[in-house]
Amino acid sequence: MTGVLRPARDSDRDLVLPWRNHPSVRAVSLTTHEIRPDEHAAWWARRSGDVLIYEADGVPAGVVIFNGSTWSFYLDVDGLGPRLLPAWMRLESEAVEYAFGTLGLDTLGGETLADNTQVLALHRRFGFRETRRYERLVDGVPKTVVWTERNR
């Protein structure tokens, strides 16, 4: 599977909403409610310049969002099916390369819910280290969040 990151286009806006609203994505997100189309459109209008689309074999399959030296991502769970794990690995590799190459960052970090053990393991594999844990309300429920980061 080959992967590439490209800047988001306006035509991607409605494509990514079902990915973000997938139950397995919402379950490990810091906002777990189903995102309404108007809410998504407002977010897209503010943030689309920070969004990259991950393409797997030429097909849009995920999103990477950079906010300064912080990042987050999600994938098209249903569209990737059994190719989800290789896509995760490729997306993380591409995102790290983009952060330290294209963006010129010295440090890249992000928040992951403590019970999202698969993504925490993936981050460790790519050289991220846990630097702290803290409680955060996620839709009114206290959850433990793990901050991971890596340097160039």
Side-chain angles (χ1 to χ4, degrees), residues 44-139:
W44 190 268
R46 287 189 317 274
R47 297 292 311 275
S48 64
D50 302 324
V51 177
L52 298 172
I53 299 298
Y54 170 76
E55 292 186 347
D57 297 327
V59 177
V63 174
V64 177
I65 304 157
F66 287 100
N67 183 10
S69 62
T70 301
W71 76 301
S72 58
F73 71 92
Y74 52 91
L75 288 162
D76 176 7
V77 173
D78 286 339
L80 287 164
R83 300 176 306 145
L84 186 62
L85 180 58
W88 262 354
M89 294 178 69
R90 189 69 181 161
L91 178 146
E92 184 128 353
S93 175
E94 294 288 328
V96 167
E97 184 177 314
Y98 188 90
F100 296 130
T102 303
L103 296 178
L105 299 178
D106 292 322
T107 303
L108 179 64
E111 297 177 302
T112 306
L113 294 176
D115 57 3
N116 192 352
T117 56
Q118 290 177 312
V119 167
L120 289 170
L122 179 68
H123 289 337
R124 279 191 302 275
R125 182 181 183 131
F126 281 88
F128 286 82
R129 67 190 188 295
E130 178 181 328
T131 60
R132 65 186 183 274
R133 286 178 178 243
Y134 48 92
E135 294 295 309
R136 177 174 170 171
L137 288 179
V138 176
D139 292 334

Side-chain angles (χ1 to χ4, degrees), residues 18-70:
W19 304 345
R20 175 57 180 84
N21 278 335
H22 191 280
S24 65
V25 172
R26 288 191 356 248
V28 295
S29 295
L30 298 174
T31 304
T32 59
H33 72 276
E34 188 166 336
I35 307 294
R36 298 179 323 275
D38 62 321
E39 182 182 2
H40 178 66
W43 175 85
W44 190 268
R46 287 189 317 274
R47 297 292 311 275
S48 64
D50 302 324
V51 177
L52 298 172
I53 299 298
Y54 170 76
E55 292 186 347
D57 297 327
V59 177
V63 174
V64 177
I65 304 157
F66 287 100
N67 183 10
S69 62
T70 301

